[in-house]
């Protein structure tokens, strides 16, 4: 069965640095998402992307965050200037219907 | 504002018995509900879903019940197996661009 893949699996960065989290959604899917889970907390919606533009974003997704689909297969989440509170597992997901498939996540640690 | 609530952070069930995980929601616009299972360091994996026009959906050992008037759904696992030990997230959606998750219930299957 096709899977959503994410790279890197782990990322450690210094506060204030930029990070780019990469995702390859399932190839025929049209909807793409980023979610995050801070340790011990629930899975939180960040942003959804459809037809090459953001369709919805949460309050968490402020100006420090951006998403891009640079080449028709990759879907990236950029955090421009990381903060300590950005430390979390970041999950990419994609769907072609109501069933959303998640990637394995990228664990981001901001020091 | 918690639109999807899982009030039991954890649940322990004897192997072979029935596991019942509960979920309440507040937004009457939700029309599709999903259960995801999550192992540590992995992304959530889709388990089972139900449309708001149904009150029950069954898939093997997993059954989801929906009570729209009470805004309540439950996941039944029968019989419970050791591999079912995981965190279970209830989720709901009303459009194709966002899924709202509960905080999760950690299920322990006891030998």
């Amino acid at each position: 069965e096709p899977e959503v893949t994410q790279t890197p699996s782990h990322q450690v960065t210094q506060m204030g640095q930029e990070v780019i989290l990469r995702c390859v959604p399932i190839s025929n899917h049209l909807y793409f998402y980023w979610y995050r889970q801070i340790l011990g907390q629930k899975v939180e919606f960040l942003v959804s992307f459809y037809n090459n533009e953001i369709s919805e974003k949460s309050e968490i997704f402020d100006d420090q965050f951006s998403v891009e689909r640079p080449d028709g297969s990759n879907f990236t989440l950029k955090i421009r200037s990381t903060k300590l509170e950005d430390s979390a597992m970041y999950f990419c997901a994609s769907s072609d219907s109501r069933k959303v498939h998640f990637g394995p996540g990228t664990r981001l640690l901001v020091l | 504002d918690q639109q999807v609530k899982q009030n039991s952070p954890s649940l322990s069930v004897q192997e072979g018995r029935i596991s019942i995980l509960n979920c309440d929601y507040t937004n009457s616009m939700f029309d599709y509900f999903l259960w995801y299972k999550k192992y540590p360091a992995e992304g959530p994996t889709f388990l089972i879903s139900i449309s708001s026009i149904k009150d029950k959906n069954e898939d093997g050992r997993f059954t989801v019940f929906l009570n729209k008037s009470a805004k309540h759904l439950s996941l039944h696992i029968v019989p419970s197996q050791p591999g079912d030990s995981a965190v279970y997230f209830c989720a709901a959606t009303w459009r194709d661009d966002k899924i709202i998750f509960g905080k999760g219930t950690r299920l322990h299957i006891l030998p």
Side-chain angles (χ1 to χ4, degrees), chain A residues 31-97:
Chain A
Y31 298 89
F32 313 109
Y33 315 83
W34 283 99
Y35 284 79
R36 78 173 186 189
Q37 185 181 28
I38 295 171
L39 187 64
Q41 298 186 24
K42 67 177 181 178
V43 177
E44 300 175 294
F45 169 78
L46 292 179
V47 66
S48 59
F49 194 85
Y50 171 72
N51 203 23
N52 286 322
E53 60 183 23
I54 290 174
S55 52
E56 189 161 357
K57 59 184 180 180
S58 71
E59 292 176 353
I60 303 166
F61 194 88
D62 60 22
D63 291 343
Q64 293 298 314
F65 291 88
S66 62
V67 288
E68 211 173 44
R69 190 156 161 79
D71 57 13
S73 63
N74 291 287
F75 180 52
T76 61
L77 174 69
K78 182 192 288 186
I79 310 175
R80 270 182 263 284
S81 177
T82 49
K83 304 189 282 285
L84 296 176
E85 53 265 37
D86 294 328
S87 295
M89 281 287 285
Y90 287 80
F91 296 105
C92 174
S94 69
S95 74
D96 61 352
S97 63

Side-chain angles (χ1 to χ4, degrees), chain A residues 31 33 35 37 41-45 47-48 55-56 89 91 95 97-105 107, chain B residues 1-2 31-32 34 36 38 41-44 46 89 93-104:
Chain A
Y31 298 89
Y33 315 83
Y35 284 79
Q37 185 181 28
Q41 298 186 24
K42 67 177 181 178
V43 177
E44 300 175 294
F45 169 78
V47 66
S48 59
S55 52
E56 189 161 357
M89 281 287 285
F91 296 105
S95 74
S97 63
R98 296 294 188 96
K99 183 176 163 184
V100 177
H101 298 258
F102 285 82
R107 183 176 295 281
Chain B
D1 176 30
Q2 264 189 284
D31 63 354
Y32 197 73
L34 311 96
Y36 281 82
K38 186 179 180 303
E42 294 184 12
F46 172 79
F89 290 97
T93 180
W94 70 98
R95 289 181 291 189
D96 284 329
D97 58 357
K98 183 162 72 174
I99 292 180
I100 305 296
F101 284 86
K103 287 188 174 182

